[in-house]
Coordinates of all heavy atoms in Angstrom, one line a residue:
L1 N 181.5 232.4 100.0 CA 181.2 233.3 98.9 C 182.1 234.6 99.0 O 182.1 235.2 100.0 CB 179.7 233.8 98.9 CG 178.7 232.7 98.5 CD1 177.3 233.3 98.7 CD2 178.9 232.2 97.1
K2 N 182.6 235.0 97.9 CA 183.5 236.2 97.9 C 182.5 237.3 97.5 O 181.5 237.2 96.7 CB 184.5 236.1 96.7 CG 185.5 235.0 97.1 CD 186.6 235.2 96.0 CE 186.3 234.5 94.7 NZ 187.3 234.5 93.7
P3 N 182.7 238.5 98.1 CA 181.8 239.7 97.8 C 182.0 240.1 96.4 O 183.1 239.9 95.8 CB 182.2 240.7 98.8 CG 183.7 240.3 99.2 CD 183.7 238.8 99.1
V4 N 180.9 240.5 95.8 CA 181.0 241.0 94.4 C 180.7 242.4 94.4 O 179.7 242.9 94.9 CB 179.9 240.3 93.6 CG1 179.9 240.8 92.1 CG2 180.1 238.7 93.6
W5 N 181.7 243.3 94.0 CA 181.6 244.7 94.0 C 180.8 245.3 92.8 O 180.8 244.7 91.8 CB 183.0 245.3 94.1 CG 183.7 244.7 95.3 CD1 184.7 243.8 95.2 CD2 183.5 245.0 96.6 NE1 185.1 243.5 96.5 CE2 184.4 244.2 97.4 CE3 182.5 245.7 97.4 CZ2 184.4 244.2 98.8 CZ3 182.6 245.7 98.7 CH2 183.4 245.0 99.4
P6 N 180.2 246.5 93.0 CA 179.4 247.0 91.9 C 180.1 247.2 90.5 O 179.6 247.2 89.5 CB 179.0 248.4 92.5 CG 179.0 248.2 93.9 CD 180.2 247.3 94.2
Q7 N 181.5 247.4 90.6 CA 182.2 247.6 89.3 C 182.3 246.3 88.5 O 182.6 246.3 87.3 CB 183.6 248.2 89.6 CG 184.5 247.3 90.3 CD 184.5 247.7 91.8 OE1 183.6 248.1 92.4 NE2 185.6 247.4 92.5
A8 N 182.0 245.1 89.1 CA 182.0 243.9 88.4 C 180.6 243.6 87.9 O 179.7 243.4 88.6 CB 182.4 242.7 89.4
P9 N 180.4 243.7 86.5 CA 179.0 243.6 85.9 C 178.5 242.2 86.2 O 177.3 242.0 86.3 CB 179.2 243.8 84.4 CG 180.7 243.7 84.2 CD 181.4 243.9 85.5
F10 N 179.3 241.1 86.2 CA 178.8 239.8 86.4 C 179.7 239.0 87.4 O 180.9 239.3 87.3 CB 178.7 239.0 85.1 CG 177.7 239.6 84.1 CD1 178.1 240.6 83.2 CD2 176.4 239.3 84.3 CE1 177.2 241.1 82.3 CE2 175.5 239.8 83.4 CZ 175.8 240.7 82.4
C11 N 179.2 238.2 88.2 CA 180.1 237.3 89.0 C 180.5 236.0 88.2 O 180.2 235.9 87.0 CB 179.3 236.9 90.3 SG 177.9 235.8 89.9
E12 N 181.3 235.2 88.9 CA 181.9 234.0 88.1 C 180.8 233.1 87.5 O 181.0 232.5 86.5 CB 182.7 233.2 89.1 CG 183.9 234.0 89.6 CD 184.6 233.2 90.8 OE1 184.1 232.2 91.2 OE2 185.5 233.8 91.4
E13 N 179.6 233.1 88.1 CA 178.5 232.3 87.5 C 177.8 232.9 86.3 O 176.9 232.3 85.7 CB 177.5 231.8 88.5 CG 178.1 230.9 89.6 CD 178.9 231.7 90.7 OE1 178.5 232.9 90.9 OE2 179.8 231.1 91.4
G14 N 178.2 234.2 86.0 CA 177.5 234.9 84.9 C 176.2 235.6 85.3 O 175.5 235.9 84.5
I15 N 176.0 235.7 86.6 CA 174.8 236.3 87.2 C 175.2 237.7 87.7 O 176.1 237.8 88.4 CB 174.1 235.4 88.2 CG1 173.8 234.1 87.8 CG2 172.9 236.1 88.9 CD1 173.4 233.0 88.8
R16 N 174.3 238.6 87.3 CA 174.6 240.0 87.8 C 174.3 240.1 89.2 O 173.3 239.6 89.7 CB 173.7 240.9 87.0 CG 174.0 242.3 87.4 CD 173.2 243.2 86.4 NE 173.6 244.6 86.7 CZ 172.9 245.6 86.5 NH1 171.7 245.4 85.9 NH2 173.2 246.8 86.7
P17 N 175.2 240.7 90.0 CA 175.1 240.7 91.4 C 173.9 241.7 91.8 O 173.6 242.6 91.0 CB 176.4 241.3 91.9 CG 176.9 242.0 90.8 CD 176.5 241.2 89.6
F18 N 173.3 241.4 92.9 CA 172.2 242.3 93.4 C 172.8 243.6 93.9 O 173.9 243.7 94.5 CB 171.5 241.6 94.7 CG 170.6 242.6 95.4 CD1 169.3 242.8 94.8 CD2 171.0 243.2 96.5 CE1 168.5 243.7 95.5 CE2 170.2 244.1 97.1 CZ 168.9 244.3 96.6
R19 N 172.1 244.7 93.5 CA 172.5 246.0 93.9 C 171.3 246.7 94.4 O 170.2 246.6 93.7 CB 173.2 246.8 92.8 CG 174.5 246.2 92.4 CD 175.3 247.1 91.3 NE 174.4 247.5 90.3 CZ 174.8 248.4 89.4 NH1 176.0 248.9 89.4 NH2 174.0 248.8 88.4
A20 N 171.4 247.4 95.4 CA 170.2 248.1 96.0 C 169.7 249.1 95.1 O 168.5 249.3 95.0 CB 170.6 248.9 97.3
I21 N 170.5 249.8 94.2 CA 170.1 250.8 93.3 C 169.1 250.1 92.2 O 168.1 250.7 91.8 CB 171.2 251.5 92.6 CG1 170.7 252.7 91.8 CG2 172.0 250.6 91.7 CD1 170.2 253.8 92.7
D22 N 169.4 248.9 91.8 CA 168.6 248.1 90.9 C 167.2 247.9 91.5 O 166.2 248.1 90.8 CB 169.2 246.8 90.5 CG 170.5 246.9 89.7 OD1 170.6 248.0 89.0 OD2 171.3 246.1 89.8
L23 N 167.1 247.5 92.8 CA 165.9 247.3 93.5 C 165.1 248.7 93.5 O 163.8 248.6 93.2 CB 166.0 246.7 94.8 CG 164.8 246.5 95.6 CD1 163.9 245.6 94.9 CD2 165.1 246.0 97.0
A24 N 165.7 249.7 93.9 CA 165.0 251.0 94.0 C 164.5 251.4 92.6 O 163.4 251.9 92.5 CB 166.0 252.0 94.5
R25 N 165.2 251.2 91.6 CA 164.8 251.6 90.2 C 163.6 250.7 89.8 O 162.6 251.2 89.2 CB 165.9 251.4 89.2 CG 166.9 252.5 89.3 CD 168.0 252.3 88.2 NE 169.0 253.3 88.3 CZ 170.3 253.2 88.1 NH1 170.7 252.0 87.6 NH2 171.1 254.1 88.3
S26 N 163.6 249.4 90.1 CA 162.5 248.5 89.8 C 161.2 248.9 90.5 O 160.1 249.0 89.9 CB 162.9 247.1 90.1 OG 163.9 246.7 89.3
L27 N 161.4 249.2 91.8 CA 160.2 249.6 92.6 C 159.7 251.0 92.1 O 158.5 251.2 92.0 CB 160.6 249.8 94.1 CG 160.9 248.4 94.8 CD1 161.4 248.7 96.1 CD2 159.6 247.5 94.8
H28 N 160.5 251.9 91.7 CA 160.1 253.2 91.3 C 159.4 253.1 90.0 O 158.3 253.6 89.7 CB 161.3 254.1 91.1 CG 161.0 255.5 90.6 ND1 160.4 256.4 91.4 CD2 161.1 256.0 89.4 CE1 160.2 257.5 90.7 NE2 160.6 257.3 89.4
A29 N 159.9 252.2 89.1 CA 159.2 252.0 87.8 C 157.9 251.3 88.0 O 156.9 251.7 87.3 CB 160.1 251.1 86.9
A30 N 157.7 250.3 88.9 CA 156.4 249.7 89.1 C 155.4 250.7 89.7 O 154.3 250.8 89.4 CB 156.7 248.5 90.1
M31 N 155.9 251.5 90.6 CA 155.0 252.6 91.2 C 154.6 253.5 90.1 O 153.4 253.9 90.0 CB 155.8 253.4 92.2 CG 155.9 252.6 93.6 SD 154.4 252.2 94.3 CE 153.8 253.9 94.8
A32 N 155.5 254.0 89.2 CA 155.1 254.9 88.2 C 154.1 254.3 87.2 O 153.2 255.0 86.7 CB 156.4 255.3 87.4
M33 N 154.2 253.0 86.9 CA 153.3 252.3 86.0 C 151.9 252.4 86.5 O 150.9 252.5 85.7 CB 153.7 250.9 85.7 CG 155.1 250.8 84.9 SD 154.9 251.7 83.4 CE 153.7 250.8 82.5
K34 N 151.7 252.3 87.8 CA 150.3 252.4 88.4 C 149.7 253.7 88.1 O 148.5 253.8 87.7 CB 150.4 252.1 89.9 CG 150.8 250.8 90.2 CD 150.9 250.6 91.7 CE 151.4 249.3 92.1 NZ 151.6 249.1 93.6
Y35 N 150.5 254.8 88.2 CA 150.0 256.1 88.0 C 149.8 256.4 86.5 O 148.8 257.0 86.1 CB 151.0 257.1 88.6 CG 151.0 257.2 90.1 CD1 151.8 256.2 90.7 CD2 150.2 257.9 90.8 CE1 151.8 256.2 92.2 CE2 150.2 257.9 92.2 CZ 151.0 257.0 92.9 OH 151.1 256.9 94.2
L36 N 150.7 255.9 85.7 CA 150.5 256.0 84.2 C 149.3 255.2 83.8 O 148.6 255.7 82.9 CB 151.7 255.6 83.5 CG 152.9 256.5 83.6 CD1 154.2 255.9 83.0 CD2 152.6 257.9 83.0
G37 N 149.1 254.0 84.3 CA 147.9 253.2 84.0 C 146.7 253.9 84.3 O 145.7 253.9 83.5
A38 N 146.6 254.5 85.5 CA 145.4 255.3 85.9 C 145.2 256.5 85.0 O 144.1 256.8 84.6 CB 145.6 255.8 87.4
Y39 N 146.3 257.2 84.6 CA 146.2 258.3 83.7 C 145.6 257.8 82.3 O 144.7 258.5 81.8 CB 147.6 258.8 83.4 CG 147.7 260.1 82.7 CD1 147.7 261.4 83.4 CD2 147.7 260.2 81.3 CE1 147.7 262.6 82.7 CE2 147.6 261.4 80.6 CZ 147.7 262.6 81.3 OH 147.7 263.8 80.6
M40 N 146.1 256.7 81.8 CA 145.5 256.2 80.6 C 144.1 255.8 80.7 O 143.3 255.9 79.8 CB 146.4 255.0 80.1 CG 147.8 255.5 79.6 SD 148.7 254.1 79.0 CE 150.0 255.0 78.1
M41 N 143.7 255.2 81.8 CA 142.3 254.8 82.0 C 141.5 256.0 82.0 O 140.4 256.0 81.5 CB 142.2 254.1 83.4 CG 142.8 252.7 83.4 SD 142.7 251.9 85.0 CE 140.9 251.6 85.1
A42 N 141.9 257.2 82.6 CA 141.1 258.4 82.5 C 141.0 258.9 81.1 O 139.9 259.4 80.7 CB 141.8 259.5 83.4
V43 N 142.1 258.8 80.3 CA 142.0 259.2 78.9 C 141.0 258.3 78.1 O 140.1 258.8 77.5 CB 143.4 259.2 78.2 CG1 143.3 259.3 76.7 CG2 144.3 260.2 78.8
I44 N 141.1 257.0 78.4 CA 140.1 256.1 77.7 C 138.7 256.4 78.1 O 137.8 256.3 77.4 CB 140.5 254.6 78.1 CG1 141.8 254.3 77.3 CG2 139.4 253.7 77.6 CD1 142.3 252.9 77.8
G45 N 138.6 256.9 79.4 CA 137.2 257.3 79.9 C 136.7 258.6 79.4 O 135.6 259.0 79.8
G46 N 137.5 259.3 78.6 CA 137.0 260.5 78.0 C 137.7 261.8 78.4 O 137.4 262.9 77.9
K47 N 138.6 261.7 79.4 CA 139.4 262.9 79.8 C 140.5 263.1 78.9 O 141.5 262.3 79.0 CB 139.8 262.8 81.3 CG 138.7 262.5 82.3 CD 138.2 263.9 82.7 CE 137.2 263.7 83.8 NZ 136.9 264.9 84.5
E48 N 140.6 264.1 78.1 CA 141.7 264.3 77.2 C 143.0 264.6 77.9 O 144.1 264.2 77.6 CB 141.4 265.4 76.2 CG 142.5 265.6 75.1 CD 142.1 266.7 74.1 OE1 140.9 266.7 73.7 OE2 143.0 267.4 73.7
S49 N 142.9 265.4 79.0 CA 144.0 265.8 79.9 C 143.5 265.6 81.4 O 143.1 266.6 81.9 CB 144.4 267.2 79.5 OG 145.6 267.6 80.3
P50 N 143.7 264.4 81.9 CA 143.2 264.1 83.2 C 144.0 265.0 84.3 O 145.1 265.3 84.1 CB 143.6 262.7 83.4 CG 143.8 262.1 82.1 CD 144.3 263.2 81.2
S51 N 143.2 265.3 85.3 CA 143.8 266.1 86.5 C 144.3 265.0 87.4 O 144.1 263.9 87.4 CB 142.7 266.9 87.0 OG 141.7 266.1 87.7
A52 N 145.1 265.6 88.4 CA 145.6 264.9 89.5 C 144.5 264.2 90.3 O 144.6 263.0 90.7 CB 146.5 265.7 90.4
E53 N 143.4 264.9 90.4 CA 142.3 264.3 91.2 C 141.6 263.2 90.4 O 141.2 262.2 91.1 CB 141.2 265.5 91.5 CG 140.2 265.1 92.4 CD 140.7 264.7 93.8 OE1 141.7 265.2 94.3 OE2 140.1 263.7 94.3
D54 N 141.6 263.3 89.1 CA 141.1 262.2 88.3 C 142.0 260.9 88.6 O 141.4 259.8 88.7 CB 141.1 262.5 86.8 CG 140.2 263.6 86.4 OD1 139.1 263.8 87.1 OD2 140.5 264.4 85.5
I55 N 143.2 261.1 88.5 CA 144.1 260.0 88.8 C 144.0 259.4 90.1 O 143.9 258.1 90.3 CB 145.6 260.4 88.5 CG1 145.8 261.0 87.2 CG2 146.5 259.2 88.7 CD1 145.3 260.3 86.0
K56 N 143.9 260.3 91.1 CA 143.7 259.8 92.5 C 142.4 259.0 92.7 O 142.4 258.0 93.3 CB 143.8 261.0 93.4 CG 143.7 260.6 94.9 CD 143.7 261.8 95.8 CE 143.7 261.5 97.3 NZ 143.0 260.4 97.7
T57 N 141.3 259.5 92.0 CA 140.0 258.8 92.1 C 140.1 257.4 91.6 O 139.6 256.5 92.1 CB 139.0 259.7 91.3 OG1 138.9 260.9 92.0 CG2 137.6 258.9 91.4
I58 N 140.9 257.2 90.5 CA 141.0 255.9 89.8 C 141.8 255.0 90.8 O 141.5 253.9 90.9 CB 141.6 256.0 88.4 CG1 140.6 256.7 87.5 CG2 142.0 254.7 87.9 CD1 141.1 257.1 86.1
L59 N 142.8 255.5 91.2 CA 143.7 254.8 92.1 C 143.0 254.3 93.4 O 143.1 253.2 93.8 CB 145.0 255.5 92.5 CG 146.0 255.7 91.4 CD1 147.1 256.6 91.8 CD2 146.6 254.4 90.9
D60 N 142.2 255.2 94.0 CA 141.5 255.0 95.1 C 140.4 253.9 94.9 O 140.2 253.0 95.8 CB 140.8 256.2 95.7 CG 141.7 257.2 96.3 OD1 142.9 256.8 96.7 OD2 141.3 258.4 96.5
A61 N 139.8 253.9 93.7 CA 138.8 253.0 93.4 C 139.4 251.6 93.3 O 138.7 250.6 93.5 CB 138.1 253.4 92.0
G62 N 140.7 251.5 92.9 CA 141.3 250.2 92.8 C 142.0 249.8 94.0 O 142.7 248.8 94.1
G63 N 141.8 250.6 95.1 CA 142.4 250.2 96.4 C 143.8 250.5 96.5 O 144.6 249.9 97.3
I64 N 144.4 251.4 95.6 CA 145.8 251.7 95.6 C 146.0 253.1 96.3 O 145.3 254.1 96.0 CB 146.3 251.8 94.2 CG1 146.1 250.5 93.5 CG2 147.7 252.3 94.1 CD1 146.3 250.5 92.0
E65 N 146.9 253.0 97.3 CA 147.2 254.3 98.1 C 147.9 255.2 97.1 O 148.8 254.9 96.3 CB 148.1 254.0 99.2 CG 148.4 255.1 100.1 CD 149.3 254.8 101.3 OE1 149.2 253.6 101.7 OE2 149.9 255.7 101.8
C66 N 147.5 256.5 97.1 CA 148.1 257.5 96.3 C 149.1 258.3 97.0 O 148.8 259.0 98.0 CB 146.9 258.3 95.7 SG 147.5 259.6 94.5
E67 N 150.3 258.3 96.5 CA 151.4 259.1 97.1 C 151.5 260.3 96.3 O 151.6 260.4 95.2 CB 152.7 258.3 97.0 CG 152.8 257.1 97.8 CD 154.1 256.4 97.8 OE1 155.1 257.0 97.4 OE2 154.2 255.2 98.1
R68 N 151.3 261.5 97.0 CA 151.2 262.8 96.4 C 152.5 263.1 95.5 O 152.4 263.7 94.4 CB 151.0 263.8 97.5 CG 150.6 265.2 96.9 CD 149.3 265.1 96.3 NE 149.1 266.2 95.3 CZ 147.9 266.4 94.7 NH1 146.9 265.6 94.9 NH2 147.8 267.4 93.8
E69 N 153.7 262.8 96.1 CA 154.9 263.1 95.4 C 155.0 262.3 94.1 O 155.3 263.0 93.1 CB 156.1 262.6 96.2 CG 157.4 262.9 95.6 CD 158.6 262.3 96.4 OE1 158.5 262.1 97.6 OE2 159.7 262.3 95.8
M70 N 154.6 261.1 94.0 CA 154.7 260.3 92.8 C 153.5 260.9 91.9 O 153.9 261.0 90.7 CB 154.4 258.8 93.1 CG 154.5 258.0 91.8 SD 156.1 257.9 91.0 CE 157.0 256.9 92.1
L71 N 152.4 261.2 92.3 CA 151.4 261.8 91.5 C 151.8 263.0 90.9 O 151.6 263.3 89.7 CB 150.1 261.9 92.3 CG 148.9 262.5 91.6 CD1 148.5 261.7 90.4 CD2 147.7 262.7 92.6
D72 N 152.4 263.9 91.7 CA 152.9 265.2 91.2 C 153.9 265.0 90.1 O 154.0 265.7 89.1 CB 153.4 266.0 92.3 CG 152.3 266.6 93.2 OD1 151.2 266.5 92.9 OD2 152.7 267.0 94.4
R73 N 154.8 264.0 90.3 CA 155.9 263.7 89.3 C 155.3 263.3 88.0 O 155.7 263.7 86.9 CB 156.8 262.7 89.9 CG 158.0 262.4 89.0 CD 159.0 261.4 89.7 NE 159.4 261.9 91.0 CZ 160.0 261.1 91.9 NH1 160.0 259.9 91.7 NH2 160.3 261.6 93.0
V74 N 154.3 262.4 88.1 CA 153.7 261.9 86.8 C 152.9 263.0 86.1 O 153.1 263.2 84.9 CB 152.8 260.7 87.1 CG1 152.0 260.3 85.9 CG2 153.6 259.5 87.5
M75 N 152.2 263.8 86.9 CA 151.5 264.9 86.3 C 152.4 265.9 85.6 O 152.1 266.4 84.5 CB 150.6 265.6 87.3 CG 149.5 264.7 87.8 SD 148.4 264.0 86.6 CE 147.7 265.5 86.0
A76 N 153.6 266.2 86.2 CA 154.6 267.2 85.7 C 155.1 266.6 84.3 O 155.3 267.3 83.4 CB 155.6 267.4 86.6
R77 N 155.4 265.3 84.3 CA 156.0 264.7 83.1 C 155.0 264.7 82.0 O 155.4 264.6 80.8 CB 156.5 263.3 83.4 CG 157.8 263.4 84.2 CD 158.4 262.1 84.5 NE 159.6 262.3 85.3 CZ 160.7 261.6 85.1 NH1 160.9 260.8 84.0 NH2 161.7 261.8 85.8
M78 N 153.6 264.5 82.3 CA 152.6 264.4 81.3 C 152.1 265.8 80.9 O 151.4 265.8 79.8 CB 151.5 263.6 81.9 CG 151.8 262.1 82.1 SD 152.4 261.2 80.7 CE 151.0 261.3 79.6
E79 N 152.5 266.8 81.5 CA 152.0 268.2 81.2 C 152.3 268.5 79.7 O 153.5 268.4 79.3 CB 152.6 269.2 82.1 CG 151.9 270.6 82.0 CD 152.5 271.5 83.1 OE1 153.1 271.1 84.1 OE2 152.2 272.7 82.8
G80 N 151.3 268.9 79.0 CA 151.5 269.3 77.6 C 151.7 268.2 76.6 O 151.9 268.4 75.5
K81 N 151.5 267.0 77.1 CA 151.7 265.8 76.2 C 150.4 265.1 76.0 O 149.6 265.1 76.8 CB 152.8 264.8 76.8 CG 154.1 265.5 76.9 CD 155.1 264.6 77.6 CE 156.4 265.3 77.8 NZ 157.4 264.5 78.6
Q82 N 150.3 264.5 74.8 CA 149.1 263.6 74.5 C 149.5 262.2 74.6 O 150.6 261.8 74.1 CB 148.6 263.9 73.0 CG 148.2 265.3 72.9 CD 146.9 265.6 73.6 OE1 146.0 264.8 73.7 NE2 146.9 266.8 74.3
V83 N 148.7 261.3 75.2 CA 148.9 260.0 75.4 C 149.2 259.3 74.1 O 150.1 258.4 74.0 CB 147.8 259.3 76.2 CG1 148.0 257.8 76.3 CG2 147.7 259.8 77.7
H84 N 148.4 259.5 73.1 CA 148.6 258.7 71.9 C 149.9 259.0 71.2 O 150.5 258.2 70.6 CB 147.5 259.0 70.9 CG 147.4 260.4 70.4 ND1 146.8 261.5 71.1 CD2 147.9 261.0 69.2 CE1 146.9 262.6 70.4 NE2 147.6 262.4 69.3
E85 N 150.5 260.3 71.4 CA 151.8 260.6 70.9 C 152.8 259.8 71.7 O 153.9 259.4 71.1 CB 152.0 262.1 71.0 CG 151.1 262.9 70.0 CD 151.2 264.4 70.3 OE1 151.8 264.8 71.3 OE2 150.6 265.1 69.5
L86 N 152.7 259.7 73.0 CA 153.7 259.0 73.8 C 153.7 257.5 73.5 O 154.8 256.9 73.4 CB 153.4 259.3 75.3 CG 153.6 260.7 75.8 CD1 153.1 260.8 77.2 CD2 155.0 261.1 75.6
I87 N 152.5 257.0 73.2 CA 152.4 255.6 72.8 C 153.1 255.3 71.5 O 153.8 254.4 71.4 CB 150.9 255.1 72.8 CG1 150.4 255.1 74.2 CG2 150.8 253.7 72.2 CD1 148.9 254.9 74.4
A88 N 152.8 256.2 70.6 CA 153.5 256.0 69.3 C 155.0 256.2 69.4 O 155.7 255.4 68.7 CB 152.9 257.1 68.3
E89 N 155.4 257.1 70.1 CA 156.9 257.3 70.4 C 157.5 256.0 71.0 O 158.6 255.5 70.6 CB 157.2 258.5 71.2 CG 158.6 258.8 71.5 CD 158.8 260.0 72.4 OE1 158.0 261.0 72.3 OE2 159.6 259.9 73.3
G90 N 156.8 255.5 72.0 CA 157.3 254.3 72.7 C 157.3 253.1 71.8 O 158.1 252.2 71.8
Y91 N 156.2 253.0 71.0 CA 156.1 251.9 70.1 C 157.3 251.8 69.1 O 157.8 250.7 68.8 CB 154.8 251.9 69.4 CG 154.5 250.7 68.5 CD1 154.1 249.5 69.0 CD2 154.6 250.8 67.1 CE1 153.9 248.4 68.3 CE2 154.4 249.7 66.3 CZ 154.1 248.5 66.9 OH 153.9 247.4 66.0
G92 N 157.6 253.0 68.7 CA 158.7 253.1 67.7 C 160.1 252.5 68.3 O 161.0 252.0 67.6
K93 N 160.2 252.6 69.6 CA 161.4 252.0 70.3 C 161.5 250.6 70.3 O 162.6 250.0 70.4 CB 161.5 252.6 71.7 CG 161.7 254.1 71.8 CD 161.8 254.6 73.1 CE 162.0 256.2 73.1 NZ 162.0 256.7 74.4
F94 N 160.3 249.9 70.2 CA 160.3 248.4 70.2 C 160.5 247.9 68.7 O 160.8 246.8 68.7 CB 158.9 247.9 70.7 CG 158.8 248.1 72.2 CD1 157.8 249.0 72.7 CD2 159.5 247.3 73.1 CE1 157.7 249.1 74.0 CE2 159.4 247.5 74.4 CZ 158.5 248.4 74.9
A95 N 160.3 248.6 67.8 CA 160.4 248.1 66.4 C 161.9 248.0 66.0 O 162.8 248.5 66.5 CB 159.7 249.1 65.4

């Protein structure tokens, strides 16, 4: 097999080569979804603006280890935003 370099978007067979950055992005997105899911569960449960402790409690109840850095990142991105507005904004991107 010949090495496939990152500047080549596809190899001869038409398959995109594996890149470590792609894996890192996928893992990061999967991790963020757990925290966002817990955030949304708290909203559904009646918390209009859930705290970091609310999110941690939900993750702990599901047996998911809570990483403080990721939790802080999600909380910072959600600050001042309403979940229903974000859902509507995201839904518009699919249409």
Side-chain angles (χ1 to χ4, degrees):
L1 290 174
K2 293 188 281 184
V4 179
W5 303 107
Q7 63 266 28
F10 295 94
C11 65
E12 293 169 5
E13 294 83 25
I15 300 171
R16 187 172 182 205
F18 169 79
R19 294 187 312 173
I21 191 70
D22 292 334
L23 178 60
R25 286 181 183 149
S26 294
L27 292 175
H28 181 75
M31 287 294 294
M33 290 306 295
K34 293 176 187 178
Y35 292 85
L36 288 173
Y39 189 96
M40 290 181 163
M41 289 176 74
V43 170
I44 290 169
K47 300 273 186 171
E48 187 175 319
S49 184
S51 68
E53 191 58 38
D54 295 330
I55 306 308
K56 184 178 180 329
T57 300
I58 291 170
L59 292 172
D60 289 344
I64 299 169
E65 184 179 337
C66 184
E67 294 180 21
R68 192 69 199 186
E69 180 184 343
M70 183 64 76
L71 179 59
D72 291 343
R73 186 177 301 161
V74 169
M75 294 304 296
R77 289 183 181 222
M78 293 301 295
E79 189 174 345
K81 298 177 183 171
Q82 297 293 318
V83 170
H84 67 277
E85 293 170 351
L86 295 173
I87 292 171
E89 181 182 319
Y91 183 77
K93 293 178 182 179
F94 286 110

